[in-house]
Amino acid sequence: MPIGCLLILNSRGDILCSRNYRDYYNVKSVGEVFRTQVIATKLADRSPVHNLGGVSYLFMKSENTWVVVATKLNSNAVLIFQFLSKLIEICRVYFGAMNEESVKENHVTLLELLDEILDYGYPQTTEIDLLKMCITNATMKLESGAAKQGQKQLSDKLTGIIGWRKDGIKYRKNEVFIDVVEEVNVLIAQNGNVLQRDVSGKVIMKSFLSGMPECKFGLNDKLMLQSESKSSDRRSSQIDLEDVTFHQCVRLGKFEANRAISFVPPDGEFQLMKYRTSENVNPPFRLLHPSCKSLGKTRMEFDFKVKGEFSSRLNGTTVVIKVPCPKNTASTKITVGAGKAKYEPEHQAIVWKIRKFPGGSEVMFSAVVQLISSTSEPKAWSRPPISMSFQVPMLTTSGLHVRFLKVHEPKLNYQAVKWVRYISKAGQYECRI
């Protein structure tokens, strides 16, 4: 991902700061082309990538500044945008904001950061904790003792493999909190058949561990269980994970070899992994017999039931069901078996809210909608789908569960307390009527 040159411009297109990493770029010419052909023509509103005169311009906006990368090579655009996002985050941590005023006031520090972050156009390190050890500004001064310790550890951090965790972390109580959060996307037909289903999940970890602990994490992933020769007796609980991505602390070599997730965790909260699966997804809620009938030209009738398709020991919380209504709705008469429902004109829908939905139960909904009569022939209503939002604690729609988490710190040799929580949430959850 070589970067030819990097520029930071204000809203008018004036160059505030720049770095040239290749001899064949003229920074002033690159800035002028971006000002006249992107900012002035408002091309930036259409796409964040433009190729002008054989040079690709990739850019992001932060308040009243443009952060622009120019390259003539076939670079990875996603990685460049990830780098730009991280650069803006670093500037906000150091300067409090990323705008024209902060760039002018901290121009020297910004150049030092760019020299540390990029080497001949290649990103080296973007870890904020590591950058703080070697570059400080007026609002970020290290104590004298901390400064000496930071200088002592700096070379080890720059050349080592654990730049995301400091040495010497100590806690009185060593704990690890794991949240498995899944968003379920479902599209259900009027006859009850599930047309589309998938789950996007993430594992969020919050670690309060002393020293430099080695962690090993196990899930009921199909390939992981097969690598451990346990597929024969655990077949029913295996799931296929797709599009798995990890935090940089995970040792990818071990994962590719034997599907083992081993890592030295950062201190505090971080996202350990993301995944997606579309097999064996069980929708937690189902709409039974949804019907929408037109009673003449000025009345409509809605009728359906909602059933919780999960264990009776669990409860759905903050359940919100939106039943769409035509634009010319005048009044509604609503009957529900639980919760409260009312017509909200700003959403053009009846919003039904249920605070607590026990698993296995059924709740009915019926409504008569009175429409405003029109002298002209009304346009046919498109019948948008009924949508749902909810949370179900201690449930994973995909069936994923944490099998084990092993924590080993060879020097301190403590026993860590581990907590696991599961949450299923609605992503795009719709049922046609």
Side-chain angles (χ1 to χ4, degrees):
M1 190 198 77
I3 292 173
C5 62
L6 187 145
L7 303 89
I8 299 177
L9 305 92
N10 61 14
S11 57
R12 300 182 302 275
D14 302 325
I15 298 176
L16 304 175
C17 182
S18 65
R19 269 289 185 259
N20 192 0
Y21 300 100
R22 297 291 187 276
D23 294 336
Y24 46 80
Y25 290 96
N26 186 308
V27 173
K28 289 186 177 180
S29 299
V30 170
E32 183 65 18
V33 170
F34 187 81
R35 183 184 69 83
T36 57
Q37 299 193 38
V38 178
I39 297 178
T41 58
K42 298 183 178 180
L43 282 175
D45 298 335
R46 302 180 188 176
S47 172
V49 182
H50 290 285
N51 190 285
L52 304 169
V55 179
S56 296
Y57 294 81
L58 301 91
F59 50 89
M60 294 182 72
K61 191 174 184 181
S62 175
E63 298 185 34
N64 59 351
T65 59
W66 296 92
V67 186
V68 184
V69 163
T71 179
K72 291 184 178 181
L73 303 177
N74 186 21
S75 301
N76 189 322
V78 174
L79 289 180
I80 290 179
F81 283 119
Q82 188 174 7
F83 168 76
L84 291 177
S85 177
K86 192 67 177 180
L87 176 61
I88 292 172
E89 180 187 346
I90 291 170
C91 291
R92 286 172 178 165
V93 170
Y94 266 82
F95 313 139
M98 180 58 176
N99 52 37
E100 182 176 357
E101 183 179 354
S102 66
V103 171
K104 288 181 177 178
E105 290 179 353
N106 302 276
H107 186 265
V108 175
T109 306
L110 180 55
L111 290 177
E112 290 179 357
L113 284 169
L114 290 176
D115 290 341
E116 199 68 43
I117 293 170
L118 287 166
D119 185 13
Y120 198 60
Y122 291 90
Q124 298 302 303
T125 178
T126 56
E127 286 295 325
I128 296 174
D129 290 337
L130 181 56
L131 292 171
K132 287 179 183 178
M133 297 172 65
C134 54
I135 299 175
T136 59
N137 61 358
T139 60
M140 190 183 294
K141 292 295 184 184
L142 293 172
E143 298 294 333
S144 58
K148 291 180 181 178
Q149 185 181 5
Q151 291 171 3
K152 184 179 179 181
Q153 298 173 352
L154 182 57
S155 60
D156 295 334
K157 290 291 184 182
L158 286 172
T159 57
I161 59 172
I162 306 177
W164 52 86
R165 185 179 181 90
K166 296 185 293 184
D167 293 328
I169 298 174
K170 291 184 179 180
Y171 288 101
R172 293 182 61 185
K173 187 177 182 180
N174 294 282
E175 295 181 296
V176 179
F177 299 87
I178 299 174
D179 284 343
V180 180
V181 183
E182 293 191 341
E183 286 194 359
V184 54
N185 305 300
V186 173
L187 178 60
I188 304 174
Q190 187 177 9
N191 60 4
N193 293 334
V194 179
L195 303 177
Q196 181 181 342
R197 68 180 94 187
D198 67 81
V199 168
S200 299
K202 55 187 176 181
V203 178
I204 300 171
M205 190 170 179
K206 188 180 291 186
S207 68
F208 302 101
L209 300 172
S210 305
M212 298 292 283
E214 292 278 344
C215 297
K216 190 173 182 181
F217 186 67
L219 301 168
N220 58 329
D221 175 32
K222 182 178 180 181
L223 295 178
M224 187 182 296
L225 291 174
Q226 287 177 351
S227 68
E228 297 176 4
S229 302
K230 294 182 180 181
S231 59
S232 59
D233 58 344
R234 303 282 303 261
R235 187 170 301 171
S236 60
S237 61
Q238 296 175 12
I239 65 168
D240 282 319
L241 297 182
E242 306 167 8
D243 302 334
V244 181
T245 58
F246 293 103
H247 188 271
Q248 63 175 338
C249 67
V250 176
R251 296 184 177 91
L252 296 180
K254 287 190 176 181
F255 180 77
E256 292 293 337
N258 53 21
R259 304 293 286 190
I261 304 174
S262 60
F263 56 96
V264 176
D267 188 45
E269 184 174 332
F270 67 100
Q271 184 173 282
L272 178 62
M273 62 179 288
K274 292 193 299 184
Y275 62 90
R276 189 179 67 86
T277 182
S278 55
E279 293 187 8
N280 302 319
V281 176
N282 300 311
F285 289 95
R286 190 179 293 272
L287 269 66
L288 305 176
H289 315 299
S291 68
C292 174
K293 300 177 183 177
S294 295
L295 307 176
K297 294 184 177 181
T298 58
R299 289 181 67 196
M300 296 186 72
E301 185 179 68
F302 295 91
D303 186 60
F304 60 87
K305 290 182 179 180
V306 182
K307 183 178 181 180
E309 299 279 352
F310 49 92
S311 171
S312 59
R313 294 175 294 178
L314 305 178
N315 292 295
T317 60
T318 60
V319 178
V320 179
I321 303 170
K322 292 183 179 180
V323 183
C325 298
K327 290 183 179 181
N328 60 333
T329 298
S331 62
T332 57
K333 185 178 179 181
I334 307 167
T335 305
V336 293
K340 297 180 180 180
K342 66 175 182 177
Y343 175 70
E344 297 185 1
E346 63 272 20
H347 296 120
Q348 293 183 13
I350 297 171
V351 180
W352 181 18
K353 298 180 180 180
I354 306 173
R355 288 183 59 188
K356 187 176 179 180
F357 199 114
S361 61
E362 292 184 11
V363 182
M364 55 82 61
F365 173 94
S366 65
V368 177
V369 177
Q370 193 71 33
L371 307 177
I372 299 173
S373 59
S374 175
T375 55
S376 59
E377 186 67 25
K379 186 178 179 180
W381 186 44
S382 60
R383 294 197 178 195
I386 298 171
S387 61
M388 289 187 68
S389 64
F390 55 82
Q391 286 191 7
V392 185
M394 301 312 297
L395 173 72
T396 53
T397 312
S398 66
L400 181 82
H401 67 262
V402 178
R403 292 169 47 230
F404 62 85
L405 174 64
K406 299 176 182 178
V407 179
H408 175 61
E409 217 294 333
K411 294 181 180 179
L412 303 176
N413 198 25
Y414 52 76
Q415 292 292 325
V417 181
K418 304 147 194 173
W419 306 88
V420 181
R421 180 175 62 172
Y422 303 96
I423 303 175
S424 285
K425 301 164 61 176
Q428 190 170 359
Y429 207 98
E430 297 179 339
C431 178
R432 293 175 178 173
I433 55 177

